[in-house]
Amino acid sequence: DAGVTQSPTHLIKTRGQHVTLRCSPISGHKSVSWYQQVLGQGPQFIFQYYEKEERGRGNFPDRFSARQFPNYSSELNVNALLLGDSALYLCASSYTTGSGNTIYFGEGSWLTVV
Amino acid sequence: AQKVTQAQTEISVVEKEDVTLDCVYETRDTTYYLFWYKQPPSGELVFLIRRNSFDEQNEISGRYSWNFQKSTSSFNFTITASQVVDSAVYFCALSETTDRGSTLGRLYFGRGTQLTVWP
């Protein structure tokens, strides 16, 4: 079975531009979360979606938005990119939001803002 | 507030040595989950273990073992007879729960420990 898949794997954007990152969860998983990992740090929670509804949001500006589609895939959008948005963006999926669910991560999208 | 501390930034060992990675956490929840993930240079976080707050039994999986001590809020990870392939960044993480006992899928990560195993 396929794991969590993300695209693109690497991309370079210019300050002020917009970026869309995509994620397909493990088959059967209905919850998708997004994390940002800057170099030398642990991942930081951005969003969680379950059944197409936002269930949680981390401490990120409104330039960050996301959505989940009927097939449970998800997009993370970042507007007006800043140099500080350069990071590895990780998508995670779990079966539900219920207790004890293991959370699986994709390989991430490496975003460089120049 | 939830917090995870991995005090060891970098550890270097020679192959076949045992190594322990420390993790200390803070939470006000009575029900919570602890995780360890391995991150190779490719970037993917590889799930290693999940432990709930009511299960303090130590666990062994091959060369890996975990020691969960609620009294000291620690969840340490030991690799026995380390190998070069164990070289990676290891993250400890804590998940919060709602008042109905469901996790939100939100993980709080430590800063990670870079483990280098030399041949």
Side-chain angles (χ1 to χ4, degrees), chain B residues 66-77:
Chain B
W66 290 269
N67 182 279
F68 176 31
Q69 293 197 341
K70 226 170 167 177
S71 60
T72 56
S73 297
S74 65
F75 186 43
N76 296 337
F77 173 32

Side-chain angles (χ1 to χ4, degrees), chain B residues 7-51:
Chain B
Q8 304 150 309
T9 306
E10 296 181 25
I11 299 177
S12 288
V13 298
V14 176
E15 218 171 13
K16 297 183 183 177
E17 285 186 21
D18 298 347
V19 58
T20 295
L21 309 181
D22 297 333
C23 172
V24 175
Y25 63 91
E26 296 176 29
T27 180
R28 293 179 186 170
D29 289 345
T30 55
T31 302
Y32 52 89
Y33 290 81
L34 296 163
F35 297 77
W36 275 95
Y37 287 88
K38 173 182 179 180
Q39 188 175 46
S42 63
E44 179 181 5
L45 284 170
V46 178
F47 167 77
L48 295 178
I49 191 171
R50 178 193 71 234
R51 175 55 49 87

Side-chain angles (χ1 to χ4, degrees), chain A residues 81-104:
Chain A
L81 285 167
L82 303 174
L83 295 179
D85 295 331
S86 296
L88 174 65
Y89 288 85
L90 292 160
C91 175
S93 80
S94 60
Y95 180 60
T96 68
T97 60
S99 298
N101 277 276
T102 297
I103 299 165
Y104 297 94

